[in-house]
């Protein structure tokens, strides 16, 4: 994959708020031009962050978006996951790899002769890379899982705290419920939370919530009544016997047929005996002795004895009716027992009603027998077993409610804690199942096992890789290749690298004997660093076709001869790279790289099957207003078409001359351009004074009639006041003055150039017009 563009770069040094606006996407070859301080090195730091898969320590709050060929985007949040193979040459690379006073880090080149071992090493490294990537992926997945489990613990503890606080606001355990308590509870109830058994129905939750309330009640007294089915069976047997019993007497049919007359006559006969009279109290007539004997024969002693039995049976049966017992009020019970108690009371009332109805049926039959003792055809039904059971069950239910209530009152703390724990288990199990907690914990275990297995495999493979690398690596080969390149680069051979096994790196030696001990010119340092970088690209048989190369100004301290070497060295070694980014402030070096890249585009156009260009040119421009900020833009035609920086500056400033209104940023830029243009023009005309701008301008004024001393002084003041200033501040009207006077000063400068060398001036106008 290659880098397509940088769509955002904020708070990254001088790139304060850069966003890509109509900037050409990057190609295979990309060249950036920018003056010193414009932000080239800062931009190279972004590529180095991508190389190292880490954020910049200098700009920790930076935000960026780098678009990749596959559509993905590298940002500050996912840079650690980047897999681009980037190598960046800049000051950071030099500082990390080269100590000018001691040693240059090792170069690991591979002996080409040991083919079998190389293939084995490549295979091991391939396996190591795959396992390392899998190992890192497992680490990320474990981190994600453990992070989600950690968040689950926090969220669940908060949910649990809200639910449990409604139970008992005085319980500090629930008032301070947190992730630690939740985890400890899950660990101690691991198996329970795996099943559905702890999950409660809504009514049960309500009941347990009531049961957990911290309101203690007194114990309740209750008399548990018991009835035996055998008692009613014996009573029925006696009643059946009574109903079947008859009396031997000389019956009077009319009395048998009319029970009311029979009762009236029987009572009357008894009254006459007690009052010892034979005269009818109703008609006052004398009752015949014969009639008295007939009646006495009907109501004889056996009859009277039987009648007495019936009366006693009636009295006993009347005492067998059930009365509603004195029961405690429902308000005395804990809420969770009230429902069972109320149901028991209702069932008891119904059972008593049913039993009394059945006893009443017995009573009615007995009364009929009492009225007519001679009737032996009367029968009764047994008291039903279901009625007796219903009564017993109701009494038991009431007794159970009382027993539970009293047990809780006597063991209040223990019982309320049980209710709370049941509720806690319900809520915890609900959270666990909603999150698939146990499944995720198992995934963590499995992934950690895989993680550890991969780590062991990787660690066990390292010694063999190290052994093969030691066998294949040829430090002399590394030094030899480096020295050959460096000598060719510098055009001389007094500087060399010699491998030091103790230091595991290379010492820099001058004339094959003397360590340099820091005594190197800036040009030599740059050459060593750049050659070292290119040589490092070939380590471990790296394929150039797989590498993205970023080079930041490798020519800062070079003369023109070394500029060409730097260009040639880069081109010959890196032309087949997957993608190249070159950043420079040196126009000569820019021109060398530009012409190389132009040639690439030209070859693509001239083929039988023409292709789109893949070399592109950009500039990095910094504002001169405070605070300074930089942007990346497409290179202007004047930069890509001209053969010298002088042409570029002349063209750029000439455009500003033709623009009657300039922004503040453009106005500040004109001061820099004006100084560079005058320095270049007069240095060529008067090379004797090329280091002093004041003397150069004084020389340039000689012989001029249009440009006088005042005009020269105005130009001199303008370029000294507004160019190369770290802090641009004269007075509060400085910026306004600059914008107002820059246009006039630019016109004066071009008029001066025309007066000094009209032929040169006119030809420059023709050149920029053609371009």
């Amino acid at each position: 994959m290659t880098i397509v563009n940088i769509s955002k770069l904020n708070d990254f040094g001088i790139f304060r708020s850069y966003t890509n606006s109509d900037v050409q996407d990057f190609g295979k070859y990309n060249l950036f031009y920018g003056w010193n301080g414009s932000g080239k090195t800062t931009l190279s730091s972004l590529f180095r962050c991508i190389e190292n898969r880490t954020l910049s320590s200098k700009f920790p709050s930076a935000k960026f978006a780098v678009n990749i060929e596959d559509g993905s985007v590298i940002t500050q949040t996912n840079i650690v996951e980047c897999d681009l193979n980037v190598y960046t040459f800049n000051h950071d690379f030099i500082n990390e790899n080269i100590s000018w006073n001691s040693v240059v880090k090792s170069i690991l080149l591979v002996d080409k002769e040991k083919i079998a071992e190389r293939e084995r090493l490549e295979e091991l490294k391939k396996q190591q890379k795959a396992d390392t990537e899998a190992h890192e992926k497992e680490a990320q997945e474990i981190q994600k899982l453990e992070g989600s489990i950690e968040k689950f613990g926090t969220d669940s503890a908060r949910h649990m705290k809200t639910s449990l606080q409604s139970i008992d606001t005085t319980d500090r355990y629930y008032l301070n419920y947190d992730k630690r308590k939740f985890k400890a509870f899950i660990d101690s109830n691991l198996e329970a939370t795996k099943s559905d058994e702890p999950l409660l129905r809504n009514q049960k939750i309500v009941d347990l919530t009531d049961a957990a309330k911290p309101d203690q009640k007194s114990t309740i007294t209750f008399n548990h009544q018991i009835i035996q089915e055998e008692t009613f069976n014996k009573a029925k047997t006696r009643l059946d016997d009574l109903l079947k019993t008859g009396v031997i007497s000389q019956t009077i049919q009319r009395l048998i047929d009319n029970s009311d007359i029979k009762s009236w006559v029987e009572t009357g006969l008894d009254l006459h005996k007690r009052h010892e009279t034979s005269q009818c109290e109703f008609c006052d007539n004398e009752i015949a002795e014969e009639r008295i004997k007939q009646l006495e024969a009907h109501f004889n002693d056996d009859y009277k004895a039987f009648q007495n039995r019936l009366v006693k049976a009636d009295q006993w049966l009347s005492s067998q009716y059930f009365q509603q017992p004195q029961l405690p009020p429902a308000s005395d019970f804990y809420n969770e027992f009230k429902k069972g108690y109320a149901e028991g009371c209702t069932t008891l009332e119904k059972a008593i009603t049913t039993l009394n109805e059945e006893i009443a049926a017995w009573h009615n039959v007995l009364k009929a027998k009492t009225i007519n003792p001679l009737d032996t055809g009367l029968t009764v039904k047994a008291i039903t077993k279901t009625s007796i059971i219903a009564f017993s069950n109701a009494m038991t239910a009431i007794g159970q409610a009382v027993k539970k209530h009293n047990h809780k009152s006597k063991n209040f703390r223990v019982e309320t804690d049980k209710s709370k724990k049941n509720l806690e288990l319900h809520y915890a199990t609900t959270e666990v199942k909603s999150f698939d907690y146990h499944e995720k914990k198992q995934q963590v275990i499995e992934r950690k096992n895989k993680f550890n297995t991969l780590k062991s495999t990787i660690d066990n493979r390292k010694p063999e890789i190290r052994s093969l690398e030691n066998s294949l690596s040829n430090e002399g080969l590394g030094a030899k290749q480096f020295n050959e390149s460096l000598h060719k680069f510098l055009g001389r051979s007094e500087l060399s690298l010699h491998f030091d096994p103790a230091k595991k790196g290379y010492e820099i030696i001058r004339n094959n004997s003397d360590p340099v001990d820091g005594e190197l010119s800036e040009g030599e340092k740059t050459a060593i660093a750049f050659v070292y970088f290119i040589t490092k690209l070939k380590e471990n048989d790296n394929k150039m076709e797989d590498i993205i190369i970023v080079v930041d100004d490798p020519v800062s301290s070079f003369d023109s001869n070394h500029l060409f070497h730097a260009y040639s060295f880069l081109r010959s070694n890196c032309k087949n790279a997957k993608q190249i980014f070159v950043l420079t402030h040196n126009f000569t070096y820019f021109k060398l790289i530009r012409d190389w890249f132009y040639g690439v585009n030209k070859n693509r156009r001239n083929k039988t099957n023409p292709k789109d260009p893949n070399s592109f040119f950009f500039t990095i421009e910094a504002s001169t207003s405070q605070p300074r900020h930089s942007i990346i833009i497409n290179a202007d035609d004047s930069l890509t078409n001209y053969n010298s920086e002088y042409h570029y500056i002349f063209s750029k400033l000439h455009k500003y001359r033709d623009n009657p209104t300039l922004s503040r940023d453009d106005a500040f830029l004109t001061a820099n351009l004006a100084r560079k243009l005058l320095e270049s023009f007069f240095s060529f005309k008067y090379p004797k004074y090329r280091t002093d701008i004041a003397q150069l301008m004084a020389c340039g004024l000689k012989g001029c009639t249009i440009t006088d001393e005042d005009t020269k002084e105005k130009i001199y003041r303008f370029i000294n006041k507004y160019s190369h200033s770290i802090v641009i501040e004269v007075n509060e009207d400085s910026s306004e003055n600059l914008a107002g006077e820059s246009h006039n000063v630019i016109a004066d400068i071009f008029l001066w150039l025309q007066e000094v060398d009209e032929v040169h001036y006119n030809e420059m106008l023709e050149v920029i017009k053609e371009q």
Side-chain angles (χ1 to χ4, degrees), residues 140-351:
Q140 293 170 5
E141 291 300 323
I142 290 169
Q143 186 177 9
K144 287 180 183 178
L145 277 170
E146 290 183 333
S148 66
I149 291 172
E150 192 75 9
K151 185 176 183 300
F152 158 74
T154 301
D155 293 344
S156 296
R158 185 174 63 252
H159 300 158
M160 295 275 288
K161 183 176 181 179
T162 301
S163 299
L164 294 170
Q165 279 183 343
S166 63
I167 300 171
D168 183 358
T169 57
T170 65
D171 193 326
R172 296 186 62 83
Y173 174 80
Y174 296 117
L175 284 175
N176 300 317
Y177 205 83
D178 57 15
K179 177 176 65 177
R180 178 181 54 81
K181 290 181 180 178
F182 176 70
K183 183 179 183 303
F185 185 82
I186 294 299
D187 290 342
S188 60
N189 294 273
L190 203 60
E191 293 304 317
T193 56
K194 291 180 180 179
S195 70
D196 292 336
E197 188 176 346
L199 299 177
L200 306 172
R201 296 180 181 274
N202 290 339
Q203 186 56 50
K204 186 63 176 176
I205 295 173
V206 173
D207 291 343
L208 284 175
T209 302
D210 285 338
K213 297 292 183 186
D215 304 321
Q216 188 171 5
K217 293 178 177 290
S218 301
T219 57
I220 294 173
T221 302
F222 169 66
N223 184 21
H224 189 161
Q225 297 181 25
I226 299 174
I227 60 173
Q228 300 292 338
E229 185 182 3
E230 184 62 26
T231 301
F232 285 102
N233 290 339
K234 289 180 180 180
K236 181 178 183 302
T237 299
R238 291 196 298 270
L239 185 56
D240 285 341
D241 180 65
L242 198 59
L243 293 176
K244 292 176 182 179
T245 300
V247 182
I248 299 173
S249 65
Q250 295 179 11
T251 59
I252 300 172
Q253 191 62 40
R254 181 170 176 76
L255 297 181
I256 294 173
D257 295 338
N258 299 280
S259 58
D260 53 345
I261 297 174
K262 171 246 177 199
S263 296
W264 176 65
V265 172
E266 185 178 13
T267 302
L269 181 61
D270 185 62
L271 287 171
H272 278 81
K273 284 184 177 181
R274 280 191 285 119
H275 290 284
E276 296 180 349
T277 176
S278 61
Q279 189 175 357
C280 178
E281 296 293 336
F282 181 76
C283 66
D284 202 26
N285 292 325
E286 187 73 19
I287 301 173
E289 186 177 348
E290 183 64 27
R291 182 60 178 171
I292 292 296
K293 289 181 179 180
Q294 286 180 342
L295 291 173
E296 286 178 347
H298 184 87
F299 300 108
N300 59 24
D301 290 341
D302 290 338
Y303 179 87
K304 289 179 180 181
F306 182 66
Q307 191 76 10
N308 189 47
R309 284 179 61 198
L310 292 174
V311 169
K312 289 182 178 179
D314 179 79
Q315 291 173 349
W316 178 83
L317 199 54
S318 295
S319 67
Q320 297 306 304
Y321 286 100
F322 288 88
Q323 302 299 321
Q324 190 71 26
Q326 189 70 29
L327 297 174
S331 59
D332 288 353
F333 286 83
Y334 292 108
N335 286 341
E336 65 268 29
F337 306 131
K338 286 180 179 178
K339 182 180 179 182
Y341 175 68
E343 290 174 352
C345 290
T346 300
T347 303
L348 180 63
E349 185 177 352
K350 289 180 180 179

Side-chain angles (χ1 to χ4, degrees), residues 447-686:
R447 286 193 175 276
K448 282 188 174 180
N449 289 337
K450 187 175 180 181
F451 176 88
N452 293 331
T453 300
L454 284 168
K455 188 176 187 308
S456 296
T457 302
I458 292 168
D459 291 344
N460 292 337
R461 192 183 288 128
K462 282 180 180 178
E464 185 178 359
I465 291 176
R466 194 178 301 114
S467 174
L468 284 170
E469 284 180 342
N470 291 337
S471 172
L472 291 168
S473 66
N474 188 324
E475 303 293 353
L477 178 62
K480 180 181 178 181
Q481 290 199 7
F482 176 90
N483 292 331
E484 287 176 355
S485 298
L486 181 63
H487 297 162
K488 186 181 298 184
F489 194 101
L490 292 174
R492 59 184 191 272
S493 60
E494 70 263 27
L495 285 177
S496 300
L497 295 187
H498 287 260
F499 183 68
D500 186 337
K503 295 180 179 180
K504 295 184 179 179
Y506 301 97
E507 286 186 311
I508 305 172
I509 304 296
R510 193 182 295 277
N511 298 321
N512 290 321
S513 59
D514 303 322
V516 296
D517 292 329
E519 296 177 359
L520 291 168
S521 70
E522 290 303 314
E524 288 173 332
K525 288 181 179 180
T526 303
I528 289 171
F530 190 48
V531 173
Y532 177 73
F533 171 75
I534 298 299
T535 308
K536 287 283 286 183
L537 295 178
K538 303 173 183 178
E539 272 193 332
N540 291 321
D541 264 4
N542 276 345
K543 302 292 188 298
M544 194 62 67
E545 295 81 2
D546 300 329
I547 299 174
I548 297 174
I549 298 173
V550 181
V551 177
D552 175 30
D553 244 345
V555 295
S556 299
S557 306
F558 289 164
D559 57 28
S560 58
N561 183 52
H562 288 144
L563 287 177
F564 181 80
H565 282 310
Y567 150 74
S568 178
F569 192 64
L570 176 68
R571 178 171 180 173
S572 61
N573 285 280
C574 302
K575 63 183 177 181
N576 294 324
K578 179 182 289 187
Q579 196 172 24
I580 298 178
F581 295 86
V582 180
L583 304 94
T584 184
H585 78 291
N586 185 292
F587 191 83
T588 302
Y589 190 70
F590 172 84
K591 187 178 68 170
L592 290 169
I593 302 298
R594 180 197 65 183
D595 293 345
W596 166 25
F597 288 2
Y598 259 138
V600 172
N601 283 346
K602 183 178 179 181
N603 289 336
R604 291 173 67 86
R605 288 193 299 269
N606 289 341
K607 289 183 178 180
T608 306
N609 297 316
K611 299 178 181 178
D612 292 334
N614 65 353
S615 302
F616 299 102
F617 309 92
F618 308 90
T619 56
I620 303 173
E621 295 191 358
S623 70
T624 50
S625 58
Q626 298 296 323
R628 296 172 68 241
H629 61 275
S630 286
I631 58 173
I632 302 169
I633 61 173
N634 296 323
D636 189 85
D637 289 344
S638 59
L639 182 64
T640 57
N641 293 334
Y642 297 138
N643 288 324
S644 73
E645 188 175 29
Y646 177 76
H647 284 76
Y648 169 63
I649 294 171
F650 190 99
S651 171
K652 195 84 172 174
L653 196 61
H654 198 272
K655 286 182 181 178
Y656 285 131
R657 190 198 71 166
D658 292 337
N659 189 350
T661 58
L662 297 175
S663 68
R664 289 186 183 184
D665 283 356
D666 287 340
F668 278 115
L669 183 59
T670 60
N672 279 319
L673 291 173
R675 184 184 184 97
K676 278 182 169 286
L677 182 66
L678 288 172
E679 282 181 331
S680 299
F681 178 78
F682 286 125
S683 291
F684 180 77
K685 296 287 289 183
Y686 311 106

